[in-house]
Amino acid sequence: MATNSSPALGSPEPITPHGASPSQAALQKKLNPVLILLLVVAIAVALTYLLDSGAYQREGKSILPDSYHVIDKSRSPLQLLGVGEVAKGQAQPVSLIDAVVSIPEALEKSAGLIFMVLFIGGMFGVLTRIGAVETGLERMLSLTRGNVYVLVPTMMIIFSFGSTFMGMAKEYLLLIPMVIAMMQRMGLSSLIGLAIVAIPVKMGYLSSITNPYALSVAQPLVGVPVFSGIGMRIFVYAVLMVVGIAFMLWTIHRAEKDTSVTAQWNSAPLPTRHLWVLITLGLGIAFLVYGSQTWHWEEEHLSAYYLTLAVAFAMLGGLSASDTADAFLEGMKKVLAAGVLIALATSVAIILKKGQILDSIVHSLVGLVGGDNPFLASVGMFFSQLLIDIAIPSTSGQAAVTMPILSPVGQLAGVDPHTTVLAFLLGNGLTNMITPTSSGLLIFLATAQVGWGQWARFILPLCLIVALLSMGFLAISLAVYG
């Protein structure tokens, strides 16, 4: 592996794929994620006019099967301006005014998540100013001589354990800038650094061997124990990880062809201040995992934790109060766009709910499932979950909405409950790898400063491979569980 420079962590320069041509870079600038999400918001508004409004009856968060009913709707053109009259109990489309108002409403609703992302950016701004991460990475790379064919599979397997066993996702935000810095030090792009973290996390969620966020909701709703069917999920995990690692190594191999200079790693001892900062960082990540799983920290707790870590790093790194504040604010600026993206993604769900078409979308997509052929029914479940996830990107939320409906539908078609849950896991996980309405994906992209269009083009081939594999997994599951 080769390089002759060491890009700074969190560099504000535009990020393009390794070896991208000027025309490709120009195309990436046109695919601004804000514009993409504004288009999605506009489509959501249009759907509130085009689709019938309807609702399921609910018990708590769970939907009652066969309870869907259409709600009478006024489709007067005046509704677009928000001035039409609506009878009591009648649904109405979302007006342009409501569509605009949904964005600040979404900002308020997602405030905890947005501030968490900003505080992560601030914390890494402090780490960048200190320089400890960069020097630490140089020493780490000197031990392996920059052999990514050892580093990458090892890191990906470790990252996948947290997501597939414990449902970890946002906890990895701390690691993204560090892995990106490592890849940049080796002459590779930030996109590759992001993928080394994001792909195993997403593959872990796709298989969810013991992921409590997915299984504790989905499995009981179809009438099976929370962790039953684990053998099939282990098989799915193993296959997906082999494919994910192979995809990354193939990508890195292609990128290496553009690298021609010789790597020179600094193997001198770490400065004492940097050593203490890195030790604190390692302990901080370990305690973050423990605290998140033990005390179920929400975004507000995580934001406070990142702020505390930033102060600790500044003290150990010898930064003055003024330098610390400047570095923290500079780091926040680099991820500020994430707040807008998260708000726009959340506003889509608000619009669908205001127009009372979310349940209608679910009801229509469930219609993809049917017939007497169990395999076709399971594939129909998979594709319906793929599409439902665009509107409901939350894993537990999607399980609560869809499992009570799909479980009886699947049983009528001869689909075992474990296969129904597997179709949910695969559909939900696959869409969350690429959909611009997933706040989880957006904060990963914002932390890495990678555009959604750039990520979508990169990950699409892997998504298509996983989609084909998923249909194979469903066929095997049907054979195993009968």
Side-chain angles (χ1 to χ4, degrees), residues 267-473:
S267 58
L270 280 170
T272 303
R273 285 190 180 276
H274 288 183
L275 178 61
W276 280 111
V277 168
L278 293 174
I279 290 174
T280 304
L281 176 60
L283 293 175
I285 293 173
F287 191 75
L288 169 66
V289 173
Y290 176 79
S292 297
Q293 299 298 317
T294 304
W295 299 303
H296 306 290
W297 283 349
E298 300 292 339
E299 284 86 359
E300 293 80 5
H301 303 96
L302 292 169
S303 297
Y305 185 72
Y306 296 135
L307 178 60
T308 303
L309 282 179
V311 173
F313 294 150
M315 294 175 63
L316 292 171
L319 292 184
S320 66
S322 179
D323 284 343
T324 301
D326 288 342
F328 195 86
L329 291 174
E330 186 65 28
M332 291 178 72
K333 290 177 183 177
K334 293 177 182 178
V335 295
L336 189 59
V340 178
L341 298 177
I342 292 169
L344 289 172
T346 306
S347 68
V348 173
I350 292 175
I351 289 170
L352 297 179
K353 186 175 182 180
K354 282 184 177 180
Q356 295 180 273
I357 63 169
L358 185 57
D359 284 0
S360 298
I361 293 173
V362 172
H363 179 71
S364 298
L365 292 176
V366 169
L368 292 173
V369 183
D372 298 325
N373 187 306
F375 174 70
L376 293 180
S378 65
V379 171
M381 289 181 182
F382 168 67
F383 281 104
S384 68
Q385 294 286 6
L386 278 175
L387 298 172
I388 290 170
D389 189 69
I390 298 173
I392 313 174
S394 166
T395 299
S396 57
Q398 186 175 345
V401 169
T402 60
M403 288 296 96
I405 305 171
L406 289 180
S407 178
V409 172
Q411 289 176 4
L412 290 173
V415 179
D416 181 84
H418 291 101
T419 305
T420 299
V421 172
L422 183 61
F424 153 70
L425 293 173
L426 294 170
N428 169 265
L430 181 55
T431 305
N432 275 329
M433 290 177 66
I434 195 169
T435 177
T437 61
S438 169
S439 60
L441 175 61
L442 292 178
I443 60 176
F444 269 43
L445 296 177
T447 303
Q449 299 182 57
V450 170
W452 179 82
Q454 182 184 353
W455 171 258
R457 288 190 297 276
F458 171 81
I459 203 68
L460 182 59
L462 181 59
C463 288
L464 296 176
I465 293 171
V466 172
L468 292 174
L469 288 173
S470 296
M471 289 185 278
F473 293 146

Side-chain angles (χ1 to χ4, degrees), residues 110-131:
S110 307
L113 179 60
I114 293 169
F115 277 108
M116 184 190 76
V117 174
L118 292 176
F119 278 33
I120 290 172
M123 182 194 67
F124 273 102
V126 173
L127 281 173
T128 301
R129 185 70 61 91
I130 295 170

Side-chain angles (χ1 to χ4, degrees), residues 89-103:
Q90 192 177 40
Q92 60 180 321
V94 173
S95 68
L96 293 177
I97 296 173
D98 285 338
V100 175
V101 170
S102 71
I103 297 175

Side-chain angles (χ1 to χ4, degrees), residues 6-7 9 131-144 151 155 177-186 265-266 270 278:
S6 176
L9 179 62
V133 173
E134 186 175 349
T135 55
L137 291 175
E138 287 182 353
R139 305 313 186 273
M140 182 187 300
L141 292 171
S142 69
L143 296 176
T144 61
L151 283 173
M155 288 191 295
M178 290 185 284
V179 176
I180 286 175
M182 182 185 293
M183 293 301 106
Q184 288 179 331
R185 183 68 183 87
M186 301 169 79
W265 312 112
N266 187 347
L270 280 170
L278 293 174

Side-chain angles (χ1 to χ4, degrees), residues 106-294:
L107 277 168
E108 181 179 356
K109 183 178 180 180
S110 307
L113 179 60
I114 293 169
F115 277 108
M116 184 190 76
V117 174
L118 292 176
F119 278 33
I120 290 172
M123 182 194 67
F124 273 102
V126 173
L127 281 173
T128 301
R129 185 70 61 91
I130 295 170
V133 173
E134 186 175 349
T135 55
L137 291 175
E138 287 182 353
R139 305 313 186 273
M140 182 187 300
L141 292 171
S142 69
L143 296 176
T144 61
R145 308 304 299 172
N147 189 341
V148 293
Y149 298 100
V150 175
L151 283 173
V152 170
T154 302
M155 288 191 295
M156 291 181 70
I157 291 171
I158 292 172
F159 297 158
S160 70
F161 283 169
S163 63
T164 199
F165 289 116
M166 296 184 290
M168 292 171 57
K170 58 180 177 289
E171 291 84 357
Y172 289 105
L173 292 172
L174 275 172
L175 300 176
I176 290 174
M178 290 185 284
V179 176
I180 286 175
M182 182 185 293
M183 293 301 106
Q184 288 179 331
R185 183 68 183 87
M186 301 169 79
L188 297 168
S189 71
S190 297
L191 182 61
I192 290 176
L194 168 64
I196 290 171
V197 181
I199 287 177
V201 170
K202 299 302 182 182
M203 294 301 188
Y205 256 84
L206 276 159
S207 51
S208 287
I209 294 176
T210 61
N211 176 2
Y213 297 106
L215 299 178
S216 62
V217 178
Q219 297 267 93
L221 287 176
V222 298
V224 295
V226 173
F227 296 119
S228 63
I230 193 171
M232 184 64 201
R233 293 195 298 276
I234 290 174
F235 171 73
V236 171
Y237 166 80
V239 174
L240 290 180
M241 283 305 300
V242 169
V243 171
I245 290 172
F247 177 81
M248 283 309 307
L249 294 182
W250 172 73
T251 302
I252 290 170
H253 177 71
R254 291 181 62 201
E256 281 182 313
K257 295 177 181 178
D258 298 325
T259 310
S260 57
V261 292
T262 304
Q264 295 180 348
W265 312 112
N266 187 347
S267 58
L270 280 170
T272 303
R273 285 190 180 276
H274 288 183
L275 178 61
W276 280 111
V277 168
L278 293 174
I279 290 174
T280 304
L281 176 60
L283 293 175
I285 293 173
F287 191 75
L288 169 66
V289 173
Y290 176 79
S292 297
Q293 299 298 317
T294 304

